[in-house]
Amino acid sequence: MGRLTTHVLDTAKGCPAAGIRIELHRFGNGHDDLVAEAVTNADGRTDAPMLEGASFKPGEYQLVFHAGDYFDAIGAKLPDPKFLDQVVIRFGISDGQAHYHVPLLLSPFGYSTYRGS
């Protein structure tokens, strides 16, 4: 069964990023539909996959990580406006039976991602 998971690591602090709100959007037929929302736990992961089962379908998706709110919550001293507020990762799912893992490695001034396992 296919599924989509994610996690967030705060590379500036060297630990999981807890409390980050994440939105998942699906694109198709000219629509941008919000299909899931979650908040990272103490391990920087969501408690359940962002997408799985019958709702896991090939297509174009977008994860929106609310990084600015996270930086505010941990008391990061950042300029106004912040360099990063929302981190948007747009990606495609081509195999409806595969596990797609899209992690975010985050700091106040940069980020990276990859397709993990």
Side-chain angles (χ1 to χ4, degrees), residues 61-117:
Y61 292 86
Q62 178 173 285
L63 285 166
V64 180
F65 297 86
H66 291 264
D69 294 342
Y70 165 76
F71 293 132
D72 288 344
I74 65 169
K77 303 289 186 232
L78 299 174
D80 185 22
K82 295 173 195 72
F83 180 68
L84 293 176
D85 186 21
Q86 294 183 357
V87 175
V88 177
I89 302 172
R90 192 154 181 186
F91 60 98
I93 292 176
S94 59
D95 182 350
Q97 299 301 311
H99 177 196
Y100 284 74
H101 184 67
V102 183
L104 178 66
L105 307 177
L106 178 66
S107 78
F109 298 99
Y111 67 91
S112 65
T113 190
Y114 55 93
R115 181 177 174 194
S117 58

Side-chain angles (χ1 to χ4, degrees), residues 7-73:
H7 76 273
V8 185
L9 297 176
D10 183 330
T11 58
K13 291 176 49 183
C15 64
I20 293 187
R21 185 167 62 97
I22 304 168
E23 299 172 7
L24 175 66
H25 298 257
R26 179 182 289 133
F27 295 90
N29 301 325
H31 296 277
D32 168 358
D33 296 320
L34 177 65
V35 294
E37 289 185 271
V39 176
T40 57
N41 59 26
D43 195 32
R45 299 178 182 277
T46 58
D47 290 331
M50 294 296 293
L51 201 58
E52 67 180 335
S55 22
F56 186 84
K57 300 173 187 165
E60 293 180 49
Y61 292 86
Q62 178 173 285
L63 285 166
V64 180
F65 297 86
H66 291 264
D69 294 342
Y70 165 76
F71 293 132
D72 288 344

